[in-house]
Amino acid sequence: MATAVQKITLSSSRDIPFNKLVLSQANVRRVKSGVSIEDLAASIARRGLIQSLHVRPVLDADGQETGMFEVPAGGRRYRALELLVKQKRLAKTAPVPCVVSRADSDILIDELSLAENIERAPLHPLDQFRAFQTMREKGMTEEAIAAAFFVPVQVVKQRLRLASVSPTLLDVYADDGMTLEQLMAFTVTDDHARQEQVWENVRNSWSKEPHQIKRMLTETTVRASDKRAVFVGLDVYEAAGGSILRDLFQDDDGGWLQDPALLDHLVAEKLKAAAEEIASEGWKWIEVAVGFPYGHDYGLRELTGVTVDMTDDERAAREALRDEYDRLESEYAEADELPDEIDQRLGEIEQALDAFEQRPVIYDPADIAIGGAFVSIDSEGSLVVDRGYVRPEDELPVETERGEAPVADDSDPAAPTVQRAVITIGGQPTETEEDEDDGIKPLPERLVIELTAHRTLALRDAVAQNPHVAMTMLLHKLVSETILHNSTPGCLHANVRHVFFPAQADDLKDSLSAKNVAEREEAWKQDIPANDDALWNWLTMLDDTSRLALLAHCVSYGVSALYERPNPLSASGVSEHGLNVRLAQADRLARATGLDMVEVGWRPTFGNYLNRVSKARILEAVREGAGERAAQLIDHLKKGDMAKEAERLLADTGWLPEPLRLVDLDGQAVETQADAEPGDDAALPDFLTEDGEEETSLEDEDGELAVIAAE
């Protein structure tokens, strides 16, 4: 016979006045978590009490009901109702929906409280995203949704963006096939097909970190911080129909421009317009490029113009700005932090003063007719115009010291031209009787060579006995070739071959060394005369200190410490021995000059070294520069993250890779700041000094927790 199933009886529910309720001391919730009491009270005021309280009658000493009820489950709702009563928004006797359990139940009140809290299943983040999306589709604005759920509008935008990811990927996320951070990475683009394509490429890969997903989604785009984008302007790009990808979850530095072809077209158009305006000044040529490599003006003669002086009004305006700047600096000298408006004003004054220093230069019209200009964009996205360069083929003919070139005698144009044969015997020309006449003919070529050989040898001897003249001659030659770019051969067969770099990093032209060389040359150019005779006289009058400084500057152009693959079979190649000699001499020069690459500003960065070597090399660098402890704390990171952290850790250590280290005479690296034993207290990022890994969460614009997604 079948046993009857015992039926259960549910607790009854009824409305109980609020002033008859008390919070149970058996409530297990002690730690604040989730939505605040204030937000819950506001939610109840807006929507009413969605979930009833669970209560149990309070008994007196004799076991009789007192008419009061304690609340073991629903304590936060009770406190929210209590807050509304204190705010006079709810009556003390307002009826509260309650589920009442029996006072004599054999279930402990503590069990009720614990079960009510742990048996609740939290809402899956995706359900929340989709709920927000549904409310948005039904007409609620993002601001209204944010107000209804007491979150910033930015959080609502983030959740709506997550809900807009490809449905295929949302299903993967719902099945725990990807993390929330990976899903966030896919929001940088609205292209569902591209999102799914990238996921297929990374789903079974060892490298499917969010930054890798984002990189793949934006690999055909251009960063908004790119100098081309800054030069054109995002507004102009968007007005032309270009679209921009945005990242709502992290600082994206302006986003990513999706149409590089359109951007390059806009850049070309703007550069062309600038070039046409400059060409109207009368220059023979204009060369345009987004950027020119270091040394692009080699071999060109730079014209010297006249700087336009400031007018009286401009001088007065400049002095007024200087006085205002000094006054503001003095007024706020003791302030720990400048007010925003003062800081902005000081910046405006600095820009205005810099503009006064950038004076226009007037060139001779004859020079403009044979010269040209370079038009490009600097690293900050500003237009750069370098005027006043003359190419060798455009140089005007130079008159010789001994007069004009001879002019042929054409007094008798009808006279026939007779080509006479030159007969030589034993290398000596033969002369016949009929050759002799009363006319004076040019000397035979061979004789001229012999005579000038005598003169050359005598000049060598004389120069060798006069060091001052020898120094002047060498300086004259070197200055003409390296600074004035005069390639016309002279009587001295000595030269410095300007060595250029077949491969160079993007930041080479902005390095401290490049700036020093350019500034030094510009300073010399201010004094060096362009005329050949005037240059000789000027060099003769220089004091010995200046002559040596100028000689050093010219000679420096020929220094090469470049490594190149030995290739003695090439016309311009170098042998293994030649390369070793070059590098050994470069080390000798470094020792002699006290060169320290750290002092000249070189630092290992993500782009110039760390991301271009293996993880083992990165760890070796951090171990040498920041210590074993720092290396151990980043050895678990992916290569890209490891390289970024290594850049920060090595920033002030003075560490250098082997090719940049100074080598002593024994072939050992000279000790630098990084070679000293690093202390274990080297500054490390917060997350690297914690035990275990921190849970990743989304943050709002103020840096406070906003996620959000999994609340």
Side-chain angles (χ1 to χ4, degrees):
M1 183 175 178
T3 303
V5 177
Q6 185 178 1
K7 300 294 190 295
I8 62 173
T9 303
L10 300 177
S11 299
S12 61
S13 61
R14 61 182 167 129
D15 292 343
I16 300 175
F18 177 76
N19 59 355
K20 297 296 183 181
L21 302 175
V22 294
L23 187 62
S24 174
Q25 296 304 309
N27 194 298
V28 298
R29 188 186 290 274
R30 297 285 188 270
V31 181
K32 293 182 178 180
S33 176
V35 179
S36 69
I37 298 299
E38 291 77 9
D39 288 346
L40 183 55
S43 177
I44 293 173
R46 174 184 174 87
R47 306 178 184 91
L49 188 63
I50 299 175
Q51 185 178 357
S52 301
L53 303 182
H54 193 108
V55 302
R56 178 175 284 187
V58 177
L59 305 179
D60 59 15
D62 297 329
Q64 301 297 317
E65 294 186 7
T66 61
M68 299 296 291
F69 297 84
E70 60 180 335
V71 183
R76 297 180 66 255
R77 279 162 277 155
Y78 173 84
R79 291 189 182 279
L81 293 170
E82 184 180 47
L83 178 60
L84 291 172
V85 170
K86 289 180 180 179
Q87 294 175 346
K88 308 296 184 184
R89 302 173 70 186
L90 181 69
K92 292 181 180 180
T93 58
V96 179
C98 299
V99 174
V100 185
S101 62
R102 292 185 297 109
D104 59 352
S105 172
D106 57 356
I107 302 299
L108 292 176
I109 195 170
D110 307 79
E111 181 181 339
L112 290 175
S113 177
L114 181 59
E116 197 261 355
N117 282 283
I118 68 174
E119 291 177 355
R120 289 184 300 179
L123 187 68
H124 192 283
L126 183 56
D127 292 329
Q128 187 185 104
F129 306 157
R130 286 170 169 164
F132 274 23
Q133 188 179 47
T134 300
M135 287 184 282
R136 184 71 181 87
E137 291 170 353
K138 289 183 177 181
M140 287 186 69
T141 64
E142 294 169 353
E143 291 74 14
I145 297 174
F149 290 92
F150 315 107
V151 295
V153 176
Q154 178 69 7
V155 172
V156 176
K157 292 179 181 291
Q158 290 173 338
R159 296 176 184 176
L160 290 174
R161 179 67 70 85
L162 287 166
S164 68
V165 173
S166 165
T168 301
L169 300 188
L170 291 180
D171 291 341
V172 174
Y173 173 59
D175 294 335
D176 297 327
M178 73 169 64
T179 65
L180 175 60
E181 287 69 29
Q182 289 172 326
L183 184 66
M184 289 160 49
F186 282 104
T187 63
V188 298
T189 178
D190 296 327
D191 187 343
H192 287 180
R194 180 59 178 158
Q195 291 173 350
E196 294 169 10
Q197 181 185 37
V198 169
W199 177 246
E200 285 299 318
N201 289 336
V202 304
R203 63 184 305 176
N204 296 319
S205 170
W206 63 269
S207 178
K208 50 185 174 184
E209 298 297 323
H211 69 83
Q212 172 73 6
I213 294 172
K214 193 180 300 182
R215 186 191 66 78
M216 294 178 67
L217 289 169
T218 60
E219 62 187 356
T220 60
T221 64
V222 176
R223 293 300 301 259
S225 56
D226 186 280
K227 66 179 184 180
R228 293 171 294 168
V230 176
F231 177 65
V232 170
L234 297 184
D235 293 341
V236 174
Y237 169 78
E238 289 183 299
S243 57
I244 302 177
L245 299 178
R246 303 284 188 182
D247 188 346
L248 290 181
F249 299 94
Q250 294 182 355
D251 180 17
D252 59 9
D253 201 15
W256 296 266
L257 281 64
Q258 286 188 275
D259 195 340
L262 174 61
L263 176 63
D264 289 338
H265 173 73
L266 295 174
V267 170
E269 288 294 321
K270 189 170 182 179
L271 284 174
K272 180 181 178 183
E276 289 175 349
E277 182 178 349
I278 297 164
S280 65
E281 300 171 7
W283 298 100
K284 181 176 182 179
W285 55 266
I286 306 291
E287 191 167 337
V288 179
V290 174
F292 293 102
Y294 176 74
H296 66 282
D297 56 354
Y298 177 71
L300 307 183
R301 178 169 62 90
E302 187 172 359
L303 298 173
T304 302
V306 178
T307 303
V308 177
D309 199 5
M310 284 187 288
T311 64
D312 293 340
D313 291 342
E314 288 175 329
R315 289 194 181 90
R318 183 182 62 177
E319 293 306 316
L321 288 172
R322 286 178 175 173
D323 292 342
E324 182 183 358
Y325 191 93
D326 294 340
R327 178 179 58 79
L328 291 175
E329 271 201 328
S330 175
E331 184 177 346
Y332 292 92
E334 304 298 327
D336 294 333
E337 187 175 354
L338 292 175
D340 291 341
E341 63 276 7
I342 299 301
D343 188 44
Q344 180 180 354
R345 179 55 184 162
L346 289 175
E348 293 172 351
I349 295 175
E350 288 177 350
Q351 291 182 355
L353 290 175
D354 288 341
F356 278 116
E357 300 303 323
Q358 304 300 322
R359 306 301 302 163
V361 178
I362 298 177
Y363 295 92
D364 188 299
D367 288 336
I368 292 178
I370 63 173
F374 295 97
V375 179
S376 61
I377 308 172
D378 67 12
S379 59
E380 302 298 324
S382 300
L383 181 69
V384 176
V385 180
D386 291 327
R387 296 175 173 85
Y389 291 90
V390 180
R391 293 168 172 165
E393 60 268 25
D394 294 330
E395 295 283 7
L396 298 177
V398 180
E399 294 182 359
T400 63
E401 269 188 43
R402 303 186 180 183
E404 299 287 345
V407 179
D409 183 6
D410 55 357
S411 56
D412 186 7
T417 301
V418 179
Q419 175 66 45
R420 299 184 64 87
V422 178
I423 303 172
T424 60
I425 300 176
Q428 299 292 329
T430 60
E431 297 182 2
T432 60
E433 291 284 334
E434 59 269 24
D435 289 330
E436 298 293 336
D437 57 29
D438 295 335
I440 300 178
K441 299 180 179 181
L443 292 174
E445 181 180 351
R446 176 61 180 261
L447 178 60
V448 174
I449 294 175
E450 291 179 354
L451 294 175
T452 53
H454 279 283
R455 187 168 185 266
T456 298
L457 189 58
L459 276 174
R460 288 181 181 178
D461 184 43
V463 168
Q465 298 181 54
N466 195 324
H468 185 83
V469 173
M471 174 77 77
T472 302
M473 171 179 278
L474 180 59
L475 273 176
H476 182 275
K477 176 73 173 179
L478 297 180
V479 170
S480 297
E481 291 187 354
T482 61
I483 297 181
L484 300 181
H485 305 302
N486 183 2
S487 57
T488 304
C491 71
L492 177 62
H493 283 230
N495 71 294
V496 171
R497 184 173 64 87
H498 193 155
V499 179
F500 290 93
F501 314 119
Q504 58 178 270
D506 292 338
D507 58 353
L508 180 63
K509 62 178 178 297
D510 298 321
S511 66
L512 179 61
S513 300
K515 293 178 181 178
N516 287 343
V517 171
E519 290 173 0
R520 187 183 304 115
E521 177 155 327
E522 187 60 34
W524 281 116
K525 283 183 177 180
Q526 301 299 322
D527 300 326
I528 293 175
N531 180 269
D532 191 76
D533 287 336
L535 173 60
W536 177 272
N537 295 333
W538 180 79
L539 290 171
T540 303
M541 300 302 295
L542 274 184
D543 59 88
D544 288 343
T545 300
S546 299
R547 289 157 66 86
L548 285 173
L550 182 55
L551 176 64
H553 175 72
C554 295
V555 169
S556 69
Y557 279 111
V559 174
S560 173
L562 291 172
Y563 171 82
E564 61 181 287
R565 182 180 301 171
N567 184 13
L569 301 180
S570 170
S572 59
V574 63
S575 66
E576 184 76 32
H577 174 70
L579 179 63
N580 292 335
V581 170
R582 175 195 297 178
L583 298 181
Q585 290 184 356
D587 290 337
R588 183 176 63 199
L589 271 181
R591 289 192 299 273
T593 58
L595 174 65
D596 186 340
M597 292 301 295
V598 176
E599 292 182 359
V600 300
W602 194 92
R603 298 290 186 273
T605 67
F606 180 89
N608 71 8
Y609 181 81
L610 296 168
N611 197 44
R612 301 170 66 181
V613 298
S614 65
K615 291 178 64 175
R617 280 278 188 181
I618 299 175
L619 292 174
E620 179 187 41
V622 173
R623 191 174 292 113
E624 293 178 356
E628 179 64 32
R629 176 168 171 261
Q632 291 175 354
L633 288 171
I634 67 171
D635 61 6
H636 66 285
L637 298 176
K638 300 296 184 184
K639 179 180 175 181
D641 295 333
M642 181 186 291
K644 291 177 182 177
E645 280 306 316
E647 176 179 344
R648 194 190 69 79
L649 292 170
L650 293 173
D652 299 317
T653 63
W655 181 87
L656 295 171
E658 292 90 337
L660 299 186
R661 296 177 186 174
L662 185 62
V663 178
D664 64 16
L665 295 175
D666 297 327
Q668 301 296 320
V670 177
E671 182 173 308
T672 62
Q673 177 184 347
D675 295 320
E677 184 66 27
D680 287 341
D681 56 350
L684 297 175
D686 293 339
F687 79 88
L688 292 181
T689 59
E690 298 291 333
D691 293 331
E693 295 184 1
E694 260 186 313
E695 209 173 48
T696 306
S697 62
L698 305 180
E699 294 184 356
D700 62 12
E701 293 176 342
D702 298 324
E704 298 177 353
L705 289 178
V707 181
I708 335 186
E711 281 187 11

